[in-house]
Structures are given as C-alpha cells and as structure tokens.
Amino acid sequence: EVQLVESGGGLVQAGGSLRLSCAASGFTFDDYAIAWFRQAPGKGREGVSCISTSDGSTVYADSVKGRFTISSDNAKNTVNLQMNSLKPEDTAVYYCAATRGWYPLVSYEYDYWGQGTQVTVSS
C-alpha cells in the first residue's frame, strides 16, 4: 500500500521557521519525484517545490525561492521542506505528492498524495 505521511506543521510567527517531512512507503522511492503543494482557504492548489529523488534536481515556485529548501533522504524514504522567513501568506495545508515522471509542480500528474499538514503563520 502506497503511503505518504506529512508531519511538522504548526503555528509560527512571521519570520519564523518550520520543517515539514514527508515519509513515503509502498513504492520504489528512487523512481519517483516528490513535490510539496499547498492550498490556502478559498484558493486553488499551488505547487511549492519538487525534487527528483534519483538525481536531486529541484524546482521552486517563485513565491518561495530563497526561503524554502527541499531535500531528500533516500535512505529513509523521506523528503523534507525547510521553510524559513515564513510569511502570513504561506498559511495553508501542505501536501506532499509523488509522481513517476518529472512534472515539476503540475498537480494532475501526481499519482499519490498525503493527507496534508496545516501550517499557520501569524502576523
């Protein structure tokens, strides 16, 4: 059974940091790209960042460049998202997702999704 389990969300003040983790199981981790998406209340799903677990290539949305860093720990089948300098507009439910190809931040190309973790940034 494929599972993606997010953790690390919470409440933080603007300017603070959080580290999200996505633990994957049930598929060959190295064959997939893993991405983070987010959805704020009343808004559509937005791609945040993705990483190729095979070669380490990364992509970031313009809105998070220079503030967020995605990394992969292939030994633990885990992808992390380090979020620094958080802003109130980063408030959303964050989801990790997996795709077999390389479709950076194209949500409909992702086959597996986690349940999401809430990130709230207060001003």
Side-chain angles (χ1 to χ4, degrees), residues 51-92:
I51 186 167
S52 167
T53 57
S54 60
D55 66 13
S57 298
T58 59
V59 172
Y60 294 92
D62 287 344
S63 58
V64 306
K65 277 180 184 175
R67 301 189 297 124
F68 291 10
T69 302
I70 193 168
S71 61
S72 173
D73 184 340
N74 287 27
K76 297 182 178 179
N77 286 6
T78 299
V79 168
N80 299 308
L81 184 69
Q82 179 66 42
M83 306 187 296
N84 298 329
S85 302
L86 283 162
K87 305 175 181 180
E89 51 263 45
D90 293 318
T91 295

